Amino acid sequence: MIQWKAGITAIIVGTGAICAGCGVGTEDVAGDAAMASVATEGVELATARFAVEGMTCGGCALATEISVKRVEGVSSVTADLGEDGGPGSATVEYDPARTGTEAIAAAIRKAGFTPSLEESEAQR
């Protein structure tokens, strides 16, 4: 088991994880710990904000962050739960020369959630 912030626990099953907070399973999110990295010095980063349906707990937000961080060209990601039952959100900084909003949305879907692009400085 992995102990997450605020007492959230995930059970690692094969290459996936099951969030103990809400019971949602994620496909290949917690598999290997390798994360894509971006050298940000001298790079013009773009920012995209997604509405994310289906995140219900801190474990869900963490699963989204882990999945998106694996996308080559992503510099940072912050996922937050929605208020009053509304959708959560994910704000992503990325190198538009290396990736785009479609690849980021695919990573959010891979984590088990439904993304909708709200705004982006650079769309590819």
Side-chain angles (χ1 to χ4, degrees), residues 47-50 76-80 89-93:
T47 302
R49 182 174 166 86
F50 295 84
S76 69
V77 58
T78 303
D80 296 302
S89 66
T91 303
V92 183
E93 285 188 323

Side-chain angles (χ1 to χ4, degrees), residues 58-102:
C60 295
L62 184 59
T64 299
E65 290 178 356
I66 290 170
S67 186
V68 172
K69 284 180 184 177
R70 287 180 154 185
V71 175
E72 188 69 31
V74 168
S75 176
S76 69
V77 58
T78 303
D80 296 302
L81 299 178
E83 294 181 19
D84 300 324
S89 66
T91 303
V92 183
E93 285 188 323
Y94 64 98
D95 178 353
R98 297 174 67 192
T99 195
T101 57
E102 285 301 316

Side-chain angles (χ1 to χ4, degrees), residues 7 35-36 39 47 50 52 54 65 67 91 95 104 113 119-121:
M35 299 287 174
T47 302
F50 295 84
V52 182
E65 290 178 356
S67 186
T91 303
D95 178 353
I104 295 166
F113 308 104
E119 62 184 83
S120 177
E121 290 178 9

Side-chain angles (χ1 to χ4, degrees), residues 2 14-15 17 19 22 25-26 32 38 40 56 60 66 69 73 76 79-80 96 99 108 113 118:
I2 294 176
T15 60
C19 177
C22 67
T26 57
D32 62 68
V38 175
T40 57
T56 60
C60 295
I66 290 170
K69 284 180 184 177
S76 69
D80 296 302
T99 195
I108 295 170
F113 308 104
E118 290 183 333

Side-chain angles (χ1 to χ4, degrees), residues 16-45:
I18 298 171
C19 177
C22 67
V24 172
T26 57
E27 178 185 325
D28 194 32
V29 170
D32 62 68
M35 299 287 174
S37 64
V38 175
T40 57
E41 193 170 319
V43 174
E44 287 286 327
L45 295 177

